[in-house]
Amino acid sequence: MSQDSSNTGATIVIFGASGDLTQRKLIPALYNLFRKKRLPDRFNIVGVSRTAYSHEDFRTEMKQGVKEFSGETFRDEYWNSFAEHIWYVAGDASKVQQLDEVRKFLESKENGTSNRLYYLSVAPTLYPVIINNLGELNMNGENGSWRRIIIEKPFGTDLETALDLNKIVHHNFDENQVYRIDHYLGKETAQNILFLRFANTIFEPVWNRNYVEYIQITVAEQVDVGHRAAYYDQAGVVRDMFQNHILQLLALVTMEPPSGFNATSLRNEKVKLLSAIPPIELQNTVRAQYADYLQTDGVMKNSQTPTYAAMKLYIENWRWQGVPFYLRSGKALRAKTSQIRVRFQRPPGVIFNTISDESCTPNTLTICIQPDEGIHLNFQAKLPDSNHDTREVDMEFNYAKAFGEQEIPEAYERLLLDALNGDPSLFTRSDEIEALWKIIDPLLSGWETGDAPAVTTYAHGSWGPTAADELLRKDNHKWHLGCIPNGGT
Ligand code: BG6
């Protein structure tokens, strides 16, 4: 915690407050923090957007969100005291005069000094103008109280636009005031990757090319693009999921141990790791659309935007040289699951004659990010009453069993709290964003050339295109899902 907010109080200003994210994630997360008494004693939440709401209308909308999205935790008595801290200002923050009205409102509520956390949950095209306006009105200035800004993804649409945006951000804010959010880093199970690796002794010695045969990361979604076609058709699955969530998971699984558990060391190691990923070979990539994607309202008639991608990449460092990493993600798939599967090498078949048999699966460690959060370690056991037959068995850690259902907070809860407490460890630093785009840019531009694999289709509700299976078959491997029944086959 760098600068505590409890004494001076804090105002959380949400730009884009009438949007989905505010109602589904931000207000429910803040409500839960309030319920757990984790917010500063003095705080205000001020929603800003163009829609005309009264304070009361806004509270009513937000109450619906909390009831619907914060699980079992809604209680009228908590809500009523929480709602006293919620305000709304109708205004367009991209117009300096209207933002000035917001500024006056904030000051009227703050009675002198108050820290401020701005949350940019507006269309990304508005980031530059709002950030500049905050600067112009000196709403960025820290004078005895801090000013921080959370910026939602996407941060740029390629390296060049990310560099431009970083320039604007740094013109108005110091890097230590900036919190680029990737909600995957706020998931308990993602944070636990570092604890699994570095708070235990038994995993790390085998966590390298000498013992690991390959690693798969699957982030599968059941939902299709729904009402988000206007954004999604421009972005596609690689910008939407790989540039951020999936590469972040990869970095957590593969980075070197940081020298300390702090933002600088953690982020230094991630940047080092990301910089060791060479350009992804186009023939090691697959892109596809679900069958009825082109019929979605808002999607261009001949759109080539992939809703699914799979790829193989390598990490060129001592630890991972030669180990393939298989990554895949898509929408409209059979089930929702995010998981990381580490497959270890086969033991030498010295004494058991079954050991090289295909039925004898090498050890695997599967980290189930969501749902059914947990970790599974699979290994071989002797089949009882046989001479030398083996059977794969599962040693399981399950969050719900170990900690109880309610113990996993939403990612946004953790991230908002960290931002209030001044801990940017789980946020993406400017050089990290740039390193991420350096991996993605050549892939996206490669896909525009004639050498790129064609966009194929897959059935809604399937596990993706056959080309993705083929990608692994060439290496004698298969996709496997350790966290759902029957391995997702
Ligand atoms: C968002 C993407 O960042 O992550 C969405 O923009 C995606 O397209 C979502 O659905 C997935 O998040 P989660 O937490 O449901 O896995």
Side-chain angles (χ1 to χ4, degrees):
M1 194 181 284
S2 67
Q3 284 179 57
D4 197 355
S5 9
S6 52
N7 296 330
T8 31
T11 309
I12 298 145
V13 188
I14 305 175
F15 294 108
S18 60
D20 214 36
L21 186 76
T22 309
Q23 201 199 27
R24 289 168 61 96
K25 298 287 183 190
L26 304 182
I27 297 291
L30 289 165
Y31 163 82
N32 278 319
L33 290 172
F34 174 75
R35 190 176 57 79
K36 296 179 189 170
K37 303 195 177 1
R38 300 215 171 135
L39 291 181
D41 294 340
R42 283 200 302 115
F43 76 95
N44 284 300
I45 298 168
V46 180
V48 180
S49 57
R50 285 176 306 180
T51 315
Y53 281 128
S54 65
H55 298 305
E56 217 34 62
D57 293 343
F58 184 61
R59 288 177 195 136
T60 309
E61 282 281 307
M62 296 304 112
K63 183 176 176 179
Q64 283 316 318
V66 174
K67 276 187 160 168
E68 198 175 334
F69 302 111
S70 87
E72 298 296 293
T73 64
F74 183 85
R75 299 277 180 285
D76 268 316
E77 74 261 29
Y78 291 139
W79 173 262
N80 292 339
S81 17
F82 176 64
E84 287 170 14
H85 301 263
I86 301 182
W87 310 96
Y88 183 79
V89 183
D92 179 349
S94 67
K95 308 257 168 22
V96 84
Q97 299 83 348
Q98 296 189 33
L99 184 60
D100 201 33
E101 293 304 314
V102 176
R103 183 187 62 77
K104 288 180 194 150
F105 181 83
L106 297 178
E107 287 177 2
S108 75
K109 288 282 159 235
E110 287 172 342
N111 298 326
T113 51
S114 175
N115 300 308
R116 256 188 229 161
L117 178 62
Y118 302 115
Y119 200 115
L120 280 195
S121 172
V122 294
T125 47
L126 297 176
Y127 293 169
V129 59
I130 295 181
I131 292 168
N132 278 330
N133 287 351
L134 287 167
E136 191 172 329
L137 293 169
N138 194 26
M139 292 171 76
N140 52 354
E142 300 191 311
N143 185 10
S145 49
W146 53 252
R147 299 284 179 266
R148 295 180 190 140
I149 183 164
I150 300 186
I151 305 175
E152 259 299 331
K153 68 174 267 279
F155 195 95
T157 53
D158 55 17
L159 179 61
E160 194 183 336
T161 50
L163 285 166
D164 288 347
L165 184 54
N166 269 336
K167 236 184 249 163
I168 292 170
V169 168
H170 290 149
H171 184 69
N172 294 287
F173 291 90
D174 282 339
E175 178 63 23
N176 65 16
Q177 295 176 279
V178 183
Y179 292 71
R180 296 171 195 80
I181 201 164
D182 181 324
H183 78 280
Y184 261 63
L185 292 177
K187 291 185 191 280
E188 277 293 332
T189 41
Q191 293 168 52
N192 192 45
I193 295 170
L194 294 186
F195 286 79
L196 172 79
R197 294 186 55 199
F198 305 131
N200 295 294
T201 41
I202 62 170
F203 301 111
E204 208 45 28
V206 294
W207 212 258
N208 56 51
R209 69 193 157 86
N210 297 322
Y211 293 93
V212 174
E213 188 180 4
Y214 63 80
I215 293 183
Q216 295 182 0
I217 301 182
T218 298
V219 177
E221 296 192 90
Q222 224 171 355
V223 291
D224 57 24
V225 299
H227 302 300
R228 298 170 73 220
Y231 150 75
Y232 195 90
D233 202 40
Q234 295 294 315
V237 67
V238 171
R239 289 190 180 90
D240 191 49
M241 299 298 286
F242 284 77
Q243 187 271 343
N244 31 66
H245 311 324
I246 297 180
L247 288 178
Q248 286 288 356
L249 291 178
L250 178 71
L252 293 175
V253 172
T254 55
M255 65 192 253
E256 293 301 313
S259 56
F261 197 56
N262 57 61
T264 305
S265 308
L266 282 170
R267 300 193 293 180
N268 284 350
E269 289 307 332
K270 279 201 280 165
V271 172
K272 211 164 87 189
L273 185 283
L274 294 167
S275 318
I277 299 178
I280 301 164
E281 308 260 348
L282 287 186
Q283 76 267 22
N284 290 336
T285 66
V286 169
R287 52 184 178 149
Q289 276 176 357
Y290 58 84
D292 43 351
Y293 176 69
L294 292 181
Q295 276 82 62
T296 314
D297 268 354
V299 167
M300 301 257 292
K301 221 168 64 205
N302 301 319
S303 171
Q304 292 285 293
T305 302
T307 60
Y308 176 102
M311 60 195 70
K312 172 167 79 165
L313 59 77
Y314 291 93
I315 297 173
E316 278 182 0
N317 64 15
W318 272 54
R319 187 189 281 263
W320 296 116
Q321 190 72 36
V323 176
F325 293 84
Y326 302 104
L327 318 179
R328 63 173 169 166
S329 179
K331 293 216 181 272
L333 296 176
R334 189 175 307 164
K336 179 176 175 76
T337 178
S338 299
Q339 49 184 283
I340 300 164
R341 184 172 165 87
V342 181
R343 170 147 141 160
F344 294 93
Q345 291 179 12
R346 282 179 187 283
V350 180
I351 59 170
F352 303 109
N353 58 10
T354 49
I355 219 79
S356 55
D357 185 332
E358 274 304 299
S359 66
C360 177
T361 327
N363 300 138
T364 52
L365 182 87
T366 310
I367 303 171
C368 305
I369 302 290
Q370 66 182 25
D372 206 7
E373 292 81 355
I375 296 176
H376 299 251
L377 179 63
N378 285 61
F379 58 91
Q380 296 295 322
K382 177 178 176 291
L383 187 67
D385 208 16
S386 75
N387 283 344
H388 44 57
D389 288 346
T390 57
R391 174 73 58 82
E392 190 182 14
V393 292
D394 180 7
M395 197 185 268
E396 181 199 38
F397 152 57
N398 178 278
Y399 273 72
K401 279 190 208 142
F403 300 123
E405 295 283 356
Q406 285 302 319
E407 292 303 318
I408 303 187
E410 271 282 318
Y412 279 92
E413 218 178 297
R414 170 66 198 255
L415 295 171
L416 281 163
L417 187 61
D418 282 0
L420 284 167
N421 287 337
D423 181 354
S425 304
L426 301 178
F427 293 83
T428 314
R429 206 167 57 189
S430 58
D431 53 345
E432 196 178 342
I433 279 282
E434 291 164 17
L436 288 160
W437 280 120
K438 279 184 193 152
I439 299 168
I440 296 303
D441 262 18
L443 169 64
L444 291 177
S445 48
W447 275 356
E448 315 235 300
T449 66
D451 303 334
V455 180
T456 58
T457 53
Y458 59 100
H460 209 118
S462 69
W463 278 118
T466 50
D469 299 330
E470 200 41 49
L471 179 70
L472 267 70
R473 200 171 300 130
K474 283 191 284 193
D475 295 349
N476 266 329
H477 300 316
K478 277 190 195 148
W479 293 106
H480 190 94
L481 295 169
C483 312
I484 59 177
N486 304 324
T489 47

